[in-house]
Amino acid sequence: MPDSAHSPLHTVDLIRKKRDGGTLDAREIGFLVAGAASGSIPLEQLAAWLMAAWLQGLSLEETRALTLAMRDSGEKFSPTGLGKKAVDKHSTGGVGDKTSFLIAPIAAACGVAVPMISGRALGHTGGTLDKLESIPGFRTALSLKEFEAVLLECGASIVSQTPRLVPADRILYELRDRTATVESPGLICASILSKKLAAGLDALVLDVKTGSGAFLRDRKDSEFLAALMVATAEGAGTRTVALLTDMSQPLGAAAGNWIELIEALELLRGKRSPESEDLLELSLILAGWMIHLGNQAGTPKEGYTRAQAALADGSALKHFFDMVKAQGGDISAFDDPLGFHNPGAVEVVPAWERGFVATMDTTALGWAVQRTGAGREKAGAPVDPDAGIVFHARRGAFVEKGQPVATVYATEEAMLPEPVDILKQAIRFTKTPPEPVDLVSRVFTRESAQEYLRDAVR
Ligand code: URA
């Protein structure tokens, strides 16, 4: 094949090159991304290339080129008119991960602008946008003008990538979900960072999950992803840190759509419960970093203290409601959030053994949540806002046989058995308590990420 800088490119050659373990240059990657965004490359060819990239992996240079090409595939947002540092956080995806509903208003209440471009349910994980759309009237597809107006009014706004903003990710994200090509460090890095870099952020906090519910379960793989994302974002000029956080069990008690908002709202209202402690702690830590990187606190620890204060004085709750209203949401649904919850079918699952909750296959639990109707099997299908699972026992808790371990909310009776069966396979009890796991096990900054990657690729 001719290989000069000006020779015409053909998609099939680029698929073959990747399939055979070759490395694509920035021009070749730019060609694929432009074709994805414009629709000129058919989905079957994109899917084949994604699978080749999943199987062969992407080099650091390919990952960087893919990230930048995707970032540049559409319009960009410029936060300079907001008059504040723009800082966001993004997670690599988990089960019951609802930190955004706490973090965005907390950071906004502390003087940071939070322009958040989020995703929908992907694989076994839930989607921030799907959850928010369980609020009646809430709009996630805002124009950039509307996005800016909400940010100026409320300090935070959570929106979807649109056909004009990072269009390449919109296409590739859905395609990866349908072709089992999600769990790839390079593809995850490019998908997440393209959205974040298109938002023109001053700084970014990444929540990289590790453990049984993460896309990359193995600790070494999660570390590599964290270092890769920090180095790639820093290389593109955005100050970035990544925290490696535990996903060996769902985060907090609820996993679904409206039920996750109920849990987040309880915390915003200052109500605490043992099942939500890890969610609260992680949200405060992540918000603390955002407040620090947004120049509103000298250290992440000071940022944590400011985040606690914003929860305690109600300013975070006010920012949350302001954002919901500004994006068309009806906040009266939160007057009686439990009363507003209207699932088609409910089953309480009692513990089938006596003992300590020892291990959870959290990916399986994520699929169980999806099967209740809370997630989608086909791109574009609607999700049931009322479906999901509330987990009553955390890892390490002692339960008596018969004590409720979960409540399953499904769209209809016929959909209850599958998630209940998965749940029974996914949770294991033991006679002795399991080893505790750190909620945050490592922090990557620019320096530590570069050092890690130097060692990893040596
Ligand atoms: N979140 C994203 O936006 N993309 C991924 O690939 C994984 C999580």
Side-chain angles (χ1 to χ4, degrees):
M1 285 301 128
D3 201 15
S4 96
H6 301 293
S7 58
L9 295 173
H10 300 281
T11 309
V12 70
D13 296 337
L14 305 183
I15 297 170
R16 190 178 300 110
K17 187 169 175 183
K18 194 71 237 169
R19 182 200 69 188
D20 295 345
T23 303
L24 271 55
D25 64 25
R27 186 170 82 103
E28 292 168 324
I29 290 197
F31 173 82
L32 289 169
V33 170
S38 68
S40 65
I41 299 181
L43 293 183
E44 64 270 19
Q45 285 196 307
L46 292 174
W49 185 80
L50 285 171
M51 185 55 85
W54 191 97
L55 291 168
Q56 294 290 354
L58 295 174
S59 70
L60 299 187
E61 291 71 30
E62 285 177 310
T63 302
R64 178 175 158 75
L66 184 62
T67 305
L68 299 186
M70 286 171 67
R71 174 197 69 184
D72 297 340
S73 66
E75 285 181 345
K76 299 214 190 65
F77 179 70
S78 168
T80 44
L82 302 176
K84 295 172 182 171
K85 289 274 179 211
V87 186
D88 193 4
K89 85 87 216 177
H90 198 89
S91 123
T92 54
V95 179
D97 184 357
K98 54 198 85 68
T99 58
S100 295
F101 310 136
L102 295 153
I103 287 170
I106 290 175
C110 294
V112 177
V114 188
M116 198 179 262
I117 302 173
S118 289
R120 299 203 172 272
L122 184 67
H124 68 280
T125 67
T128 298
L129 302 174
D130 295 317
K131 297 169 196 179
L132 278 171
E133 286 171 3
S134 63
I135 305 171
F138 192 92
R139 289 172 57 227
T140 56
L142 302 190
S143 68
L144 288 189
K145 244 186 144 56
E146 289 173 314
F147 189 36
E148 184 171 28
V150 177
L151 282 161
L152 281 169
E153 188 190 334
C154 317
S157 178
I158 306 180
V159 297
S160 58
Q161 70 269 49
T162 66
R164 288 163 61 173
L165 194 74
V166 204
D169 185 57
R170 198 174 53 85
I171 304 293
L172 296 176
Y173 191 86
E174 277 186 14
L175 203 50
R176 285 168 58 219
D177 194 23
R178 286 186 284 144
T179 55
T181 50
V182 173
E183 310 87 341
S184 150
L187 296 177
I188 294 175
C189 173
S191 166
I192 291 179
L193 291 187
S194 59
K195 294 187 281 268
K196 300 291 131 175
L197 299 177
L201 299 174
D202 293 297
L204 173 63
V205 177
L206 292 165
D207 175 3
V208 179
K209 306 290 187 193
T210 190
S212 67
F215 282 127
L216 302 178
R217 294 169 169 222
D218 179 75
R219 166 133 190 151
K220 282 273 161 249
D221 293 341
S222 320
E223 285 179 348
F224 179 76
L225 176 62
L228 180 67
M229 288 205 290
V230 171
T232 308
E234 287 275 356
T238 302
R239 182 143 185 235
T240 302
V241 296
L243 279 63
L244 210 65
T245 75
D246 178 46
M247 193 27 75
S248 63
Q249 61 182 331
L251 189 62
N257 294 310
W258 179 248
I259 54 175
E260 291 203 26
L261 280 157
I262 299 180
E263 185 177 9
L265 201 84
E266 290 287 288
L267 292 174
L268 284 169
R269 284 185 161 140
K271 295 191 198 133
R272 297 177 66 156
S273 72
E275 291 79 31
S276 302
E277 278 302 298
D278 58 347
L279 167 65
L280 175 63
E281 180 63 8
L282 184 59
S283 301
L284 291 170
I285 293 172
L286 292 168
W289 272 99
M290 288 173 74
I291 295 163
H292 166 57
L293 295 180
N295 287 352
Q296 301 299 315
T299 60
K301 198 157 175 263
E302 198 185 311
Y304 180 103
T305 310
R306 287 208 60 193
Q308 275 182 314
L311 266 188
D313 68 12
S315 55
L317 179 66
K318 179 180 177 316
H319 277 77
F320 176 79
F321 280 148
D322 286 349
M323 179 187 81
V324 171
K325 278 192 284 189
Q327 292 192 219
D330 177 2
I331 62 164
S332 72
F334 292 106
D335 291 349
D336 175 16
L338 283 175
F340 186 72
H341 185 213
N342 189 18
V346 183
E347 181 167 333
V348 177
V349 183
W352 46 100
E353 272 175 46
R354 176 178 194 269
F356 291 94
V357 178
T359 58
M360 293 189 176
D361 178 346
T362 310
T363 293
L365 293 176
W367 287 118
V369 172
Q370 193 237 29
R371 300 291 145 83
T372 62
R376 56 172 69 75
E377 296 207 20
K378 267 200 336 237
V383 299
D384 180 350
D386 294 308
I389 301 180
V390 174
F391 298 93
H392 304 301
R394 315 289 305 152
R395 257 187 99 250
F398 185 83
V399 292
E400 294 292 346
K401 190 171 175 189
Q403 187 180 325
V405 284
T407 303
V408 179
Y409 301 100
T411 307
E412 56 190 24
E413 289 288 326
M415 289 168 73
L416 284 169
E418 191 182 0
V420 171
D421 283 353
I422 299 176
L423 206 130
K424 288 185 174 166
Q425 299 297 322
I427 301 178
R428 292 262 172 276
F429 301 96
T430 49
K431 299 267 169 286
T432 51
E435 284 293 314
V437 179
D438 288 338
L439 188 56
V440 178
S441 50
R442 193 164 174 176
V443 177
F444 283 94
T445 59
R446 179 176 49 200
E447 292 71 28
S448 55
Q450 277 165 355
E451 199 181 314
Y452 186 93
L453 290 179
R454 262 198 306 276
D455 291 346
V457 295
R458 200 175 276 156

